[in-house]
Amino acid sequence: MNPNPDLALLIGYLYGELSPEEHQRAQALLDQHPELAAEVQALRHTRRWLQAADAPPAAVAPPVLLVPRSSRLQRWGWAAAACWLLLLSGWVLLRPAPAAQAAAQPWQPDTAALRAWITAAVQAETAPLPAAADSLRTELAHLAARQRQAQAAQASRLTAELTRLLRQQRTEDLDAINEAFRRFALEQEDARLVDNQRFATVFAKLQQYERENSFAP
Amino acid sequence: MDDLWIERARRGDAAAFNALMQHWHPRIYRYVRRYFARYAAAGEDGPMAAEVAQKTFISAYEGLGRLRRNAGFRSWLYRIAINHCHAEERRRKPDPLPEDAGTFQVQAWGAGPEGDLTHDDLQRWLQEALRRIPAEQREVVLLKEYEHLTFREIAEALQIPESTAKSRLYYGLKALRQVLEGWRLTPEHLYHES
């Protein structure tokens, strides 16, 4: 469409979007042509209809927020996620195990003690069979309880550290937050793998002990 | 402020994009709702507007990296919304208009030139009048009168020359006036009502 240049000028005049020179030209045009002035006046009335009869629709809140609205909320969101992880970890680690007894003393995470215990358990082969097996199971339960407590403490420490880190972060540092979470997850995974190896060793010893002594589990 | 948010959002700052969405969603929603005003009688305009507005911002989020200049954000956002409006319309059945619908409704609403018009009356008549003008003219009228876009922005949003935007607006206003005059509605009704 190639509109009449006067038409574009009139519309620009109607909406006040003309340069001073164009405005002057439009005004002169309207002065010279009353029919054009009447046309502009009619368009003004129509515009008035559009404004007077309109009822602006009520706005609605944005239905989807892709992320929390502010960095503050974002930090709280991450902190909530960390707490959730902590609770989940706690539930996994501290859930009741058969015959488990809580150990009062804090766990010392040195493998030397574990090795000594395993050595003692193996040496217990010379003891009466039921007593040796019971002792082995009891010790295993103690070990499990201590490890759960230690893991919960570790998770708590990591979560506190992560929360502190998150509170220091600004919105621009999302990568750092993600990296912190990745480290947190890796540490948890490492701890779980180490414990799995320990338990596997102890259980292997127990099974070997029971097999060699024909002890019915 | 928009410039700052846009720049940060383009760099992947989701919080900045949220700020943009908080600022622009109400306007996009209102535009789309006006665009679909003819579905108001069926109560469908609100849900349609909410859905199209949501799609608009999802598309904007996905495409913000391709925005070439911050200053064009407003027309770019409206262009996305308009495209989604068109897609929604294509998805729906055509909206045929009976020849005598206008006369019938004007009589049904009970207001002649001598009658008293409430604001609701005026609104219904205006919506019906807008419905009767060509869609491409209606788009420009809505963008100019209610969204206050410049002609350049309208041209960018609709991807048409600026002169065409002005032309469509002129003929759209003229067509509206003819519809209203056909119903014997004059400016005096407005002055009487207000």
Side-chain angles (χ1 to χ4, degrees):
Chain A
M1 181 180 287
N2 183 21
N4 185 332
D6 288 349
L7 186 152
L9 195 67
L10 290 183
I11 283 291
Y13 179 85
L14 186 65
Y15 285 90
E17 288 189 34
L18 294 179
S19 66
E21 295 75 21
E22 288 173 328
H23 182 84
Q24 203 170 7
R25 194 153 56 89
Q27 191 62 61
L29 196 66
L30 294 177
D31 290 343
Q32 292 167 9
H33 300 280
E35 73 281 6
L36 287 182
E39 179 73 2
V40 168
Q41 186 60 20
L43 293 174
R44 280 208 180 98
H45 285 312
T46 308
R47 287 195 66 196
R48 181 162 161 73
W49 257 101
L50 284 162
Q51 297 302 327
D54 181 54
V60 296
V64 174
L65 289 177
L66 299 169
V67 295
R69 291 169 54 183
S70 68
S71 57
R72 184 182 178 85
L73 280 176
Q74 193 171 40
R75 285 197 296 272
W76 279 108
W78 282 113
C83 289
W84 182 85
L85 272 177
L86 175 62
L87 288 173
L88 185 63
S89 303
W91 179 79
V92 170
L93 296 171
L94 298 176
R95 60 185 169 181
Q101 297 176 13
Q105 68 275 25
W107 181 63
Q108 298 299 319
D110 61 339
T111 53
L114 189 62
R115 288 198 194 93
W117 180 85
I118 293 171
T119 305
V122 173
Q123 288 171 349
E125 287 182 39
T126 55
L129 294 183
D134 285 347
S135 171
L136 201 56
R137 289 199 183 93
T138 302
E139 288 298 323
L140 195 59
H142 283 193
L143 178 65
R146 283 200 300 270
Q147 286 179 332
R148 286 182 196 122
Q149 283 190 337
Q151 281 196 331
Q154 185 191 30
S156 177
R157 180 183 61 75
L158 288 172
T159 304
E161 175 65 15
L162 187 59
T163 304
R164 186 188 65 76
L165 181 64
L166 290 172
R167 283 181 177 154
Q168 290 177 349
Q169 297 296 324
R170 292 178 305 168
T171 309
E172 293 85 350
D173 296 329
L174 282 177
D175 286 346
I177 293 174
N178 288 333
E179 176 60 22
F181 258 106
R182 194 182 66 80
R183 284 203 309 272
F184 177 84
L186 285 177
E187 286 186 50
Q188 290 287 292
E189 182 64 19
D190 288 346
R192 191 162 60 248
L193 286 175
V194 169
D195 283 336
N196 286 347
Q197 289 170 356
R198 288 175 183 163
F199 275 108
T201 304
V202 174
F203 274 121
K205 289 292 180 187
L206 178 61
Q207 286 171 346
Q208 182 186 3
Y209 176 84
E210 290 173 345
R211 198 166 46 247
E212 289 175 354
N213 293 280
S214 301
F215 183 82
Chain B
M1 182 58 77
D2 263 10
D3 268 357
L4 179 64
W5 286 339
I6 293 165
E7 196 52 47
R8 288 176 59 173
R10 290 177 71 169
R11 292 203 307 264
D13 186 335
F17 183 81
N18 260 337
L20 281 174
M21 189 159 68
Q22 292 292 311
H23 182 69
W24 285 100
H25 184 277
R27 296 184 61 168
I28 294 295
Y29 172 83
R30 277 197 291 264
Y31 170 74
V32 177
R33 192 154 178 187
R34 282 190 174 108
Y35 185 97
F36 289 125
R38 60 190 178 282
Y39 295 99
E44 295 177 1
D45 57 331
M48 288 169 79
E51 187 179 340
V52 168
Q54 183 171 345
K55 285 179 180 174
T56 298
F57 282 95
I58 291 172
S59 298
Y61 184 74
E62 292 169 345
L64 195 58
R66 295 191 294 274
L67 180 64
R68 277 177 288 183
R69 57 185 182 89
N70 293 354
F73 177 79
R74 185 157 79 145
S75 53
W76 176 75
L77 192 60
Y78 276 99
R79 183 164 80 233
I80 295 173
I82 289 164
N83 287 340
H84 280 299
C85 286
H86 292 171
E88 181 65 24
E89 273 195 320
R90 282 194 299 271
R91 213 171 55 79
R92 289 179 168 260
K93 290 178 182 176
D95 184 27
L97 201 64
E99 284 299 319
D100 60 343
T103 306
F104 172 76
Q105 288 186 9
V106 169
Q107 289 169 352
W109 294 335
E114 67 285 355
D116 289 335
L117 292 179
T118 66
H119 187 270
D120 284 349
D121 293 331
L122 292 177
Q123 190 189 352
R124 280 197 299 267
W125 289 43
L126 176 65
Q127 283 185 0
E128 184 60 30
L130 279 168
R131 184 184 180 194
R132 286 163 180 273
I133 68 175
E136 60 181 20
Q137 294 174 8
R138 183 170 58 239
E139 277 178 348
V140 181
V141 169
L142 295 181
L143 288 171
K144 191 64 188 170
E145 286 294 331
Y146 300 126
E147 304 309 315
H148 308 294
L149 266 60
T150 64
F151 286 113
R152 181 181 174 182
E153 287 173 327
I154 292 173
E156 287 176 354
L158 296 173
Q159 297 184 294
I160 56 177
E162 204 173 313
S163 56
T164 304
K166 288 178 178 174
S167 171
R168 285 184 188 177
L169 181 60
Y170 171 79
Y171 288 112
L173 290 175
K174 199 169 177 178
L176 264 181
R177 187 179 79 217
Q178 287 169 348
V179 172
L180 295 171
E181 285 176 353
W183 291 338
R184 293 178 296 152
L185 289 170
T186 64
E188 284 69 31
H189 283 101
L190 287 178
Y191 304 135
H192 176 71
E193 190 272 338
S194 58

